[in-house]
Amino acid sequence: FREALRKQGKCDAVIDFIGFQEAYVQDTIDALTLDADPAYPGGRRFSTRHYVFVSTDSVYWAQKVPCADARLAEGDVRDFSPAEFDEHQEYCHKTSLGEYQLRYGGNKLGCERLLEEAWREDGFPYTVLRLPDVYGPYDNLGGLWDLVTAIEAQRPIPSRLVESRLRLPL
């Protein structure tokens, strides 16, 4: 991947749908970093004008959410204390997808934090999109097939998550 990016040369944007772990996102940042240049913000130049990281709303499984009844603003969530995390992990083991969502969301959150650090230190130009669901051949939660089944049966298209896919706040 690093070689493909380097051979590509400069580009307007990179859209990353496949960054799931910090090591891979760090490798992408490194591959997009050209050299040090004091004329640029943060002192570095990059081979892309903007990097778009497609994250997930599953990051909220890895953070403490204040209340199910309130609208959620970006600054409302916070990290769990160790005791709260143990309790949350226990809850996740009891739900059908909670354990997966916690691991997946935690990995994506780590990637987001790595990008924020790269922006703060070197001016790395990025945007994070926290999409709720992406349908396609690698949909491992079955959402695509729920949609296809509803269309084929001429039923209304489901617009709410089933109870087993919901996370309740502590």
Side-chain angles (χ1 to χ4, degrees):
F1 181 68
R2 180 187 288 253
E3 274 308 306
L5 280 176
R6 292 213 188 268
K7 285 180 186 176
Q8 171 69 33
K10 292 187 176 188
C11 60
D12 288 331
V14 171
I15 301 173
D16 184 352
F17 260 88
I18 59 171
F20 295 102
Q21 295 181 348
E22 292 173 47
Y24 299 125
V25 172
Q26 182 63 59
D27 191 51
T28 302
I29 293 168
D30 293 345
L32 293 170
T33 302
L34 295 174
D35 54 23
D37 187 333
Y40 285 85
R44 296 207 179 270
R45 291 186 320 139
F46 304 97
S47 62
T48 186
R49 291 176 54 198
H50 207 80
Y51 175 82
V52 178
F53 180 70
V54 179
S55 190
T56 174
D57 64 348
S58 294
V59 298
Y60 296 112
W61 279 78
Q63 293 180 298
K64 186 167 181 177
V65 178
C67 173
D69 296 334
R71 289 188 80 158
L72 187 63
E74 193 66 32
D76 291 343
V77 296
R78 62 180 178 81
D79 290 340
F80 288 105
S81 70
E84 290 170 331
F85 185 77
D86 290 344
E87 184 181 342
H88 179 60
Q89 199 168 23
E90 214 172 278
Y91 166 78
C92 289
H93 290 303
K94 295 177 184 174
T95 64
S96 61
L97 297 169
E99 210 172 329
Y100 166 79
Q101 295 282 32
L102 179 62
R103 185 174 53 254
Y104 176 68
N107 285 344
K108 285 284 200 173
L109 183 62
C111 294
E112 289 181 19
R113 289 178 174 170
L114 188 68
L115 289 164
E116 183 176 348
E117 181 182 324
W119 172 74
R120 286 184 195 280
E121 290 181 8
D122 298 318
F124 186 74
Y126 81 100
T127 297
V128 171
L129 301 176
R130 287 184 177 169
L131 304 181
D133 282 304
V134 176
Y135 295 122
Y138 300 104
D139 170 19
N140 58 352
L141 298 178
L144 174 65
W145 296 114
D146 290 345
L147 182 64
V148 169
T149 302
I151 292 169
E152 286 178 342
Q154 297 182 342
R155 290 190 331 245
I157 295 173
S159 61
R160 297 187 65 219
L161 291 175
V162 293
E163 192 68 31
S164 65
R165 290 184 68 186
L166 295 177
R167 175 193 159 195
L168 302 175
L170 291 176

